[in-house]
Amino acid sequence: MQSDNPTAAILVIGDEILSGRTREGNAHYLAQVLSATGFDLREMRVVSDDHDQIVAAIRALDRSLGGAYDLLFTSGGIGPTHDDITADAVADAHGTTVGIHPDARVILQARCDRLGFELTENRLRMARIPVGATLIDNAVSGAPGFSIGSTHVMAGVPEVFRGMVDWLIPRLSAGRPVQSDSVEVRRGESDVAEDLKAVAAQYSDLSLGSYPFQDQTGWGTNLVVRGLDAARVAEAMTALKQRLSL
Amino acid sequence: MQSDNPTAAILVIGDEILSGRTREGNAHYLAQVLSATGFDLREMRVVSDDHDQIVAAIRALDRSLGGAYDLLFTSGGIGPTHDDITADAVADAHGTTVGIHPDARVILQARCDRLGFELTENRLRMARIPVGATLIDNAVSGAPGFSIGSTHVMAGVPEVFRGMVDWLIPRLSAGRPVQSDSVEVRRGESDVAEDLKAVAAQYSDLSLGSYPFQDQTGWGTNLVVRGLDAARVAEAMTALKQRLSL
């Protein structure tokens, strides 16, 4: 698909995904938001709670550090416990250090006051932010995420992650939303390959994909057309349906 | 967690994941199998249906090509359509070419004969295998996966992927299965951080993680102990429960 939208990557940090304990869902949520908003998501990675691995991934993915993509979004590892090492790794990757961010401290103090908690040393860990970063709002549980360079760091708890995404994305400079149309055919992928290829060749500015599935009544294939221009997408879908006599 | 188990990575190939259309599930399934079997999954990546991106990821992840991990498992992009480019990319990464694999052709021909189909050129595309690769059985739909170097290439359709995983994994040299134990506490993560850290320091051969969640009754945290030695895991869990007065 031809696109001059800003490119993006998602980095998920968490042993619980790699151990199979938790099925990743944050990246899937953000992928949907990015498509709908006008960002071109090119890669997702999941790495373990390992300082060097996180630093290497950030450097490989964040263009402001010589990496591959215009924007990098991370999920996980910014809580209060010993295995929450994302802030330190992000600081390291961006050549800075971590300190208690005054605004973050105020946010945490206000929340503790409201709930009648003490702002313990562990709770204050959530105000440890790389020097030079700006905060990402957390309407769910207070402790903020942060942005530095082209890296946007968010929490792993799904409700909090979604809240941060919904706050952050409208504040970024997006391109054009992806337009897509799809049709389901009750044929195997082999039987539609020829027609799909022919239409794809005719519409090289679009992305045409086929996704086979199996259900109770046998095999079927979903055909999907994607692009930035709704009229072109509609035109290609019409051509595809004509060829397939749908 | 200390482990001398073989290390592994999963590479998922597919625009449909990055566009947000499909929520990835194959990597989650394989992650569970790897933990239970004795492989140390260190990284997952999702890349688009792009030749150069797939080649670069394979080279970065497969130790036989100078990459980071002992084993690499891929999902997706080995069907009959124009956007199924995994076989060519894997061949390229491994410095070989693609040809019709005679055994794969026999498998596809037998399946077509049984179902009364013709072995069309598109169907035969699924016998295009890198020269030097060995086949991975596909009990679900015939078209095989393949292994070359340390790269094991499987289909993206979930039923087929699972069938291939279940055939392949018992044929690989595994290490020791991961043992784990977990306990749920009705406290926020900040309130268990201190005790968790103390026990983690005492059991540095194990991995101790905390996973906060939110439900109808408020915040809670799952505490998870993982390691290769069941007795050590049980010992650490007992120590953790004692500290937390559970």
Side-chain angles (χ1 to χ4, degrees):
Chain A
M1 189 175 82
Q2 281 171 15
S3 163
D4 50 7
N5 281 351
T7 60
I10 300 174
L11 176 64
V12 176
I13 295 149
D15 288 349
E16 71 278 19
I17 311 291
L18 295 172
S19 73
R21 189 181 167 278
T22 303
R23 182 177 174 186
E24 216 295 311
N26 289 346
H28 175 56
Y29 175 73
L30 180 51
Q32 293 175 307
V33 172
L34 292 174
S35 271
T37 318
F39 297 94
D40 186 8
L41 178 62
R42 297 272 183 88
E43 185 166 341
M44 297 176 182
R45 287 195 196 181
V46 183
V47 298
S48 65
D49 300 325
D50 176 273
H51 182 87
D52 295 346
Q53 207 187 356
I54 301 170
V55 171
I58 292 168
R59 288 187 175 144
L61 299 173
D62 178 333
R63 182 150 294 158
S64 77
L65 301 173
Y69 307 108
D70 295 328
L71 294 156
L72 171 61
F73 303 94
T74 79
S75 161
I78 59 169
T81 62
H82 71 283
D83 56 344
D84 290 312
I85 59 174
T86 298
D88 297 277
V90 171
D92 222 1
H94 284 272
T96 184
T97 55
V98 167
I100 298 292
H101 192 291
D103 295 347
R105 179 198 276 269
V106 168
I107 291 167
L108 293 173
Q109 184 68 62
R111 188 176 161 85
C112 282
D113 291 348
R114 203 166 60 250
L115 297 172
F117 292 160
E118 196 194 336
L119 182 55
T120 58
E121 201 182 313
N122 285 322
R123 290 208 174 88
L124 193 58
R125 266 184 65 85
M126 294 187 283
R128 296 179 70 252
I129 307 280
V131 173
T134 58
L135 301 186
I136 295 175
D137 218 43
N138 172 0
V140 178
S141 59
F146 56 86
S147 301
I148 183 167
S150 304
T151 305
H152 303 276
V153 177
M154 296 177 282
V157 178
E159 295 82 2
V160 180
F161 181 83
R162 288 176 181 226
M164 290 182 173
V165 165
D166 296 347
W167 183 91
L168 175 67
I169 299 297
R171 287 167 169 80
L172 301 174
S173 291
R176 287 187 290 165
V178 172
Q179 311 295 327
S180 78
D181 197 2
S182 67
V183 62
E184 180 187 308
V185 293
R186 302 297 321 182
R187 306 182 203 166
E189 222 185 352
S190 303
D191 295 330
V192 296
E194 203 61 44
D195 293 311
L196 189 69
K197 187 179 176 180
V199 178
Q202 216 182 317
Y203 292 87
S204 59
D205 54 321
L206 306 180
S207 154
L208 277 75
S210 62
Y211 306 106
F213 61 87
Q214 199 184 18
D215 60 19
Q216 293 88 334
T217 64
W219 284 87
T221 304
N222 281 305
L223 302 173
V224 181
V225 179
R226 300 172 70 248
L228 297 184
D229 181 333
R232 285 286 288 172
V233 168
E235 205 184 295
M237 181 52 86
T238 302
L240 189 60
K241 285 180 175 169
Q242 270 168 1
R243 282 196 70 108
L244 293 166
S245 312
L246 296 173
Chain B
M1 188 176 84
Q2 281 171 15
S3 164
D4 50 8
N5 282 350
T7 60
I10 301 174
L11 175 64
V12 176
I13 295 149
D15 288 348
E16 72 277 20
I17 311 292
L18 296 171
S19 73
R21 189 180 167 280
T22 302
R23 182 177 175 186
E24 215 295 311
N26 288 346
H28 176 56
Y29 175 74
L30 180 52
Q32 293 175 306
V33 171
L34 292 174
S35 271
T37 318
F39 297 94
D40 187 7
L41 179 62
R42 296 274 182 87
E43 185 167 342
M44 298 176 183
R45 286 194 197 182
V46 183
V47 297
S48 65
D49 300 325
D50 176 275
H51 182 88
D52 295 347
Q53 208 188 356
I54 301 169
V55 171
I58 292 168
R59 287 187 176 145
L61 299 172
D62 177 334
R63 183 150 292 158
S64 77
L65 300 172
Y69 307 108
D70 297 327
L71 294 156
L72 171 61
F73 303 93
T74 79
S75 161
I78 59 168
T81 62
H82 70 284
D83 56 344
D84 290 312
I85 60 174
T86 299
D88 297 276
V90 172
D92 221 2
H94 284 272
T96 183
T97 55
V98 167
I100 298 293
H101 191 292
D103 295 348
R105 178 198 277 269
V106 167
I107 291 167
L108 293 174
Q109 185 67 63
R111 188 175 162 84
C112 282
D113 291 349
R114 202 166 61 250
L115 298 172
F117 293 159
E118 196 194 336
L119 183 54
T120 58
E121 201 182 313
N122 285 322
R123 289 207 174 88
L124 193 58
R125 264 182 68 84
M126 293 187 283
R128 295 179 69 252
I129 306 279
V131 174
T134 57
L135 301 185
I136 296 175
D137 218 42
N138 171 0
V140 177
S141 59
F146 56 86
S147 301
I148 183 167
S150 303
T151 305
H152 302 277
V153 176
M154 295 177 283
V157 177
E159 296 80 359
V160 180
F161 180 83
R162 288 176 182 226
M164 289 182 174
V165 165
D166 296 347
W167 183 90
L168 175 68
I169 300 297
R171 287 169 168 79
L172 301 174
S173 291
R176 286 187 290 164
V178 172
Q179 312 294 326
S180 78
D181 197 2
S182 67
V183 62
E184 180 186 310
V185 293
R186 303 294 323 181
R187 305 181 203 168
E189 222 185 352
S190 303
D191 295 330
V192 296
E194 204 59 45
D195 293 312
L196 189 69
K197 187 179 175 179
V199 178
Q202 215 181 320
Y203 292 88
S204 59
D205 53 322
L206 306 180
S207 155
L208 277 75
S210 61
Y211 306 104
F213 61 88
Q214 199 183 18
D215 61 19
Q216 294 86 335
T217 64
W219 285 87
T221 304
N222 281 307
L223 301 173
V224 181
V225 180
R226 300 171 70 248
L228 297 183
D229 181 332
R232 285 286 286 172
V233 169
E235 206 183 294
M237 182 51 86
T238 302
L240 188 60
K241 285 180 175 170
Q242 270 168 1
R243 282 195 71 108
L244 292 166
S245 312
L246 297 175

